[in-house]
Amino acid sequence: MALISNESLERVKGAADIIEVVSAHTDLRRQGARYVGLCPFHEERTPSFSVEPTEKLYHCFGCGVGGDVIKFVEEKEGLGFAEAVELLADRYGVELEREQENPRAEAKRQRRRRLEQLLERSAAFYSNYLWESEEAGKARDYLAQRGLREEVLRAFGVGYAPSAWDKILVRGQQAGFSVEELRAVGLAQRGRSGGDYDRFRERIMFPIRDRRGRVLGFGGRAMRSDQGAKYVNTAETDFFHKSQILYGVDRAKAAIAKAGRAVVVEGYTDVLALHQAGIEEAVGVMGTAITPDQVAALSGMVEEVVLALDADSAGQEAMLRAQRVAAGRRMRLRVAAMPAGEDPAEMMAADGGPERFREILERAEELTAFQVRLVLERTDTSSPIERDRALAEVAPVLAGMGETVSRDELIRKVAEKLDLEPAMVMGRVVAATPASGGRQDPGPESRVPAQPAPRRPAELTSRERRERALLAMCVALPDEGKEYLSRLTEAHLSPTGLRAAAWLREHPEDPASNLPHDDGELAGLIAELVIMSREEPSSHEAMELNFLLLDQRRLEDEIAAAGERGDYERRTALSRERADLVEQIAHKQRVAG
Ligand SMILES: [Zn+2]
């Protein structure tokens, strides 16, 4: 598949009716030149979601999401860029033209396609082997004992890897694939003696697919207890990343979208058993915690994720990371209290199991409340040291919740249990709250490779608000904007603001007509700026004032830096400059009234 040509892209955007597309997800009402409604990306009672029909942009002033009509379809339908364009092209009857790419990209794509075929063929081989071979008899028995019927096993493509050392290796090569390709997809591995052999042998094979149903790798379950690891997965390859895998997502996505929630379980057989019992919004993760990548992948599709994992044993730190990502995306994470020693697959096989499981799902507890309860239960409250440790552990959990009624309740509970003053607990929570500043590095925990969560307006620093106001005016008044854009430097702007300024410099006439689709954060900010530019009054005076205020912050940074370096001469000179600037600002503010 070659690239979609720019002309086609333009035609799709031209033909698409953003009001119609968005209206499928929320009711819109006209308000002046724009449309407003309840945000389809976060829970709210008063509308803060805005759609600009001529530029075909959306932005939520509540949760910060935004972009163009293609981005909306990507986020809401859980599609990639090209898929979203294809969907819109289909719907609005635009024929897509493709462009020839550079040969290297084309070669890469072809290799990827070959590897996909190799994985698909191997999955088919394993599946046939499970149903046809005598050797797999014990595997069929095992699966039947677990209550899994042939229908669901076939639907998920479950298979069996023979015990021979080279079945896949030989068959793969017979079909024209090289040993190198077999290694690249993780099916062959090199032994100590230098020869290659099959990675999966004598194992029940679970093909792991992406959202579109393409095989990425496999999970293999041992048949004998003396066989080494009980589960062996495909090693990390170019396209198999364990932390991003949601097992069964290809079969679960429709049910997930319909239910507005996903149920996350730990094992392959758990996913199968739940689907068989009609709980089709179930997906699997490989481990006891959900990763930030998995949260991010689900956040476009659902508002709520219920973890039916052995959450007791999940690392607290791992859960905290997931919680932080979820909170940034307005997604609720809840924990279903699974009975000790019983996994979902076992429960489904028992009488009345599915009903019991559904009840447990309904009663699921907020992850934060769960974590706090877990810490408190494990604390020996007679020991002051233990109490202090418990407080240190719950403070970051509570801090991550933001200021809410349920947090206040939890704080009271913690104070009572640890025999402390609520104000003291509150103090520790505030101290554990990450400082919000436009420039600091968010730290590795909150960094999600896919798409950073948009910053909610309430989280913006005053400096970022000012920067956005000025940039929006640069859109509204492009001639004067040009001058300010050339004066704004790294020292004035946040990293995102800086990228937005560069974008506006490069696209002075039509900033929104071709939003970058590989940089969701920037696209969202540009959409916001364009919508703001239509709504907020702009004037030369206001632009100048905003610029001077940003310049004042720049001077203050430089003064602080000079002080830290011990360069007092420079600091004095800068301070004088600041005094002049403050004077100038005060004058402008007086004039502006
Ligand atoms: Zn929103």
Side-chain angles (χ1 to χ4, degrees):
M1 185 185 71
L3 285 182
I4 297 164
S5 74
N6 273 332
E7 294 80 63
S8 296
L9 210 53
E10 289 306 313
R11 279 211 309 281
V12 170
K13 276 192 269 188
D17 179 350
I18 193 171
I19 302 303
E20 187 179 88
V21 170
V22 173
S23 293
H25 299 275
T26 185
D27 289 332
L28 293 174
R29 187 161 53 71
R30 184 183 264 286
Q31 196 175 87
R34 65 184 173 132
Y35 287 77
V36 294
L38 294 175
C39 177
F41 295 95
H42 86 277
E43 208 57 63
E44 64 174 3
R45 298 229 171 111
T46 50
S48 44
F49 189 78
S50 208
V51 182
E52 217 287 320
T54 45
E55 298 276 2
K56 304 190 182 183
L57 300 172
Y58 69 97
H59 175 70
C60 174
F61 289 93
C63 70
V65 298
D68 60 13
V69 62
I70 298 172
K71 175 94 177 298
F72 186 88
V73 173
E74 280 180 62
E75 296 274 320
K76 222 45 218 175
E77 312 286 336
L79 298 174
F81 175 76
E83 297 165 309
V85 174
E86 281 162 15
L87 187 145
L88 286 171
D90 254 12
R91 175 154 172 198
Y92 291 99
V94 176
E95 183 120 1
L96 290 179
E97 283 162 13
R98 316 256 176 193
E99 260 166 17
Q100 273 316 313
E101 281 176 279
N102 71 58
R104 250 177 67 196
E106 185 55 34
K108 216 172 137 188
R109 205 183 298 278
Q110 272 187 18
R111 173 173 163 86
R112 173 76 197 246
R113 208 164 31 227
R114 269 183 69 80
L115 298 184
E116 278 170 21
Q117 282 165 5
L118 174 54
L119 285 163
E120 201 59 60
R121 291 178 71 105
S122 307
F125 168 76
Y126 289 137
S127 169
N128 274 330
Y129 205 81
L130 174 66
W131 299 109
E132 310 300 337
S133 80
E134 201 168 312
E135 187 191 349
K138 54 189 192 295
R140 293 192 295 270
D141 291 345
Y142 167 81
L143 292 164
Q145 266 165 32
R146 295 231 67 185
L148 297 171
R149 292 192 295 268
E150 184 170 339
E151 192 190 347
V152 73
L153 293 167
R154 284 201 188 267
F156 279 81
V158 176
Y160 188 75
S163 58
W165 284 84
D166 59 357
K167 262 274 166 34
I168 280 288
L169 206 56
V170 168
R171 294 187 65 101
Q173 291 182 83
Q174 277 169 354
F177 294 95
S178 69
V179 176
E180 188 277 325
E181 286 173 318
L182 281 148
R183 264 190 234 137
V185 296
L187 285 170
Q189 58 190 36
R190 179 163 274 186
R192 253 169 261 156
S193 60
D196 285 273
Y197 60 92
D198 286 4
R199 178 180 174 86
F200 299 99
R201 297 179 315 280
E202 231 184 325
R203 286 175 184 274
I204 295 176
M205 297 294 285
F206 300 91
I208 296 163
R209 297 171 188 275
D210 68 7
R211 218 183 267 217
R212 291 170 70 185
R214 292 175 296 204
V215 180
L216 302 173
F218 296 91
R221 188 194 188 282
M223 276 313 296
R224 287 184 285 107
S225 54
D226 59 346
Q227 213 181 331
K230 186 169 166 197
Y231 279 97
V232 168
N233 295 314
T234 298
E236 294 282 307
T237 65
D238 284 349
F239 45 92
F240 186 86
H241 304 290
K242 200 174 144 190
S243 69
Q244 295 171 5
I245 299 293
L246 290 165
Y247 176 68
V249 69
D250 55 316
R251 303 198 59 83
K253 65 182 177 202
I256 286 176
K258 200 167 152 218
R261 79 165 177 206
V263 175
V264 173
V265 294
E266 205 180 316
Y268 306 113
T269 48
D270 289 336
V271 174
L272 265 59
L274 288 172
H275 278 248
Q276 183 173 278
I279 301 165
E280 290 179 349
E281 69 265 33
V283 290
V285 295
M286 284 162 228
T288 49
I290 186 167
T291 67
D293 283 347
Q294 289 158 342
V295 170
L298 286 169
S299 72
M301 305 159 82
V302 296
E303 296 88 56
E304 182 182 288
V305 172
V306 184
L307 305 172
L309 304 164
D310 183 10
D312 288 25
S313 63
Q316 184 87 349
E317 204 29 59
M319 288 297 218
L320 261 181
R321 279 200 295 273
Q323 175 62 36
R324 242 173 271 152
V325 177
R329 303 197 164 219
R330 296 295 175 100
M331 194 170 95
R332 290 173 74 199
L333 282 183
R334 297 199 297 148
V335 178
M338 294 299 294
E342 193 177 13
D343 64 33
E346 286 160 352
M347 194 181 282
M348 289 312 111
D351 267 353
E355 293 70 37
R356 219 157 27 100
F357 188 77
R358 284 204 176 85
E359 276 165 33
I360 291 173
L361 289 183
E362 294 316 314
R363 286 201 313 268
E365 183 180 20
E366 294 288 333
L367 174 62
T368 41
F370 169 83
Q371 286 176 297
V372 169
R373 188 169 56 77
L374 204 62
V375 172
L376 294 182
E377 277 171 13
R378 288 173 180 170
T379 302
D380 170 11
T381 50
S382 67
S383 148
I385 295 172
E386 274 280 284
R387 273 158 43 202
D388 200 54
R389 185 198 50 77
L391 185 54
E393 245 182 277
V394 296
V397 177
L398 294 165
M401 294 175 73
E403 288 167 45
T404 56
V405 178
S406 41
R407 184 178 80 171
D408 293 344
E409 274 166 28
L410 278 175
I411 287 177
R412 270 200 303 280
K413 218 189 242 176
V414 170
E416 194 180 314
K417 176 87 199 244
L418 300 180
D419 198 17
L420 298 165
E421 287 299 321
M424 186 204 167
V425 178
M426 188 64 189
R428 291 287 287 270
V429 171
V430 171
T433 307
S436 59
R439 278 169 176 268
Q440 56 184 334
D441 189 292
E445 309 81 28
S446 55
R447 210 179 282 137
V448 181
Q451 294 267 297
R455 301 282 307 278
R456 276 181 279 148
E459 291 170 350
L460 295 177
T461 60
S462 61
R463 184 183 202 154
E464 284 171 310
R465 264 181 236 139
R466 193 159 314 286
E467 138 191 325
R468 286 176 190 210
L470 177 56
L471 291 174
M473 290 182 200
C474 290
V475 175
L477 306 169
D479 287 340
E480 281 155 316
K482 210 179 282 173
E483 184 205 327
Y484 285 100
L485 288 170
S486 66
R487 287 163 71 186
L488 287 168
T489 67
E490 200 182 5
H492 295 107
L493 300 171
S494 69
T496 329
L498 194 64
R499 264 150 59 225
W503 180 268
L504 296 181
R505 251 178 248 132
E506 284 160 30
H507 306 86
E509 303 301 329
D510 51 352
S513 72
N514 222 335
L515 291 181
H517 58 260
D518 48 357
D519 186 344
E521 199 185 3
L522 178 60
L525 180 53
I526 300 294
E528 174 179 354
L529 295 175
V530 172
I531 290 178
M532 271 172 79
S533 75
R534 301 283 161 92
E535 290 175 15
E536 308 286 332
S538 306
S539 68
H540 177 71
E541 289 71 32
M543 281 172 99
E544 181 65 15
L545 184 57
N546 273 321
F547 178 78
L548 293 178
L549 286 162
L550 283 172
D551 208 35
Q552 184 188 341
R553 301 296 284 268
R554 171 197 56 94
L555 269 174
E556 276 155 12
D557 284 349
E558 284 182 19
I559 289 167
E564 273 165 35
R565 284 198 311 272
D567 186 347
Y568 299 110
E569 206 173 310
R570 172 96 181 124
R571 190 172 69 174
T572 310
L574 287 167
S575 300
R576 230 174 275 135
E577 221 178 294
R578 181 181 55 183
D580 285 349
L581 186 60
V582 169
E583 178 71 21
Q584 221 181 322
I585 291 170
H587 177 70
K588 290 235 181 278
Q589 280 171 332
R590 271 198 304 278
V591 173

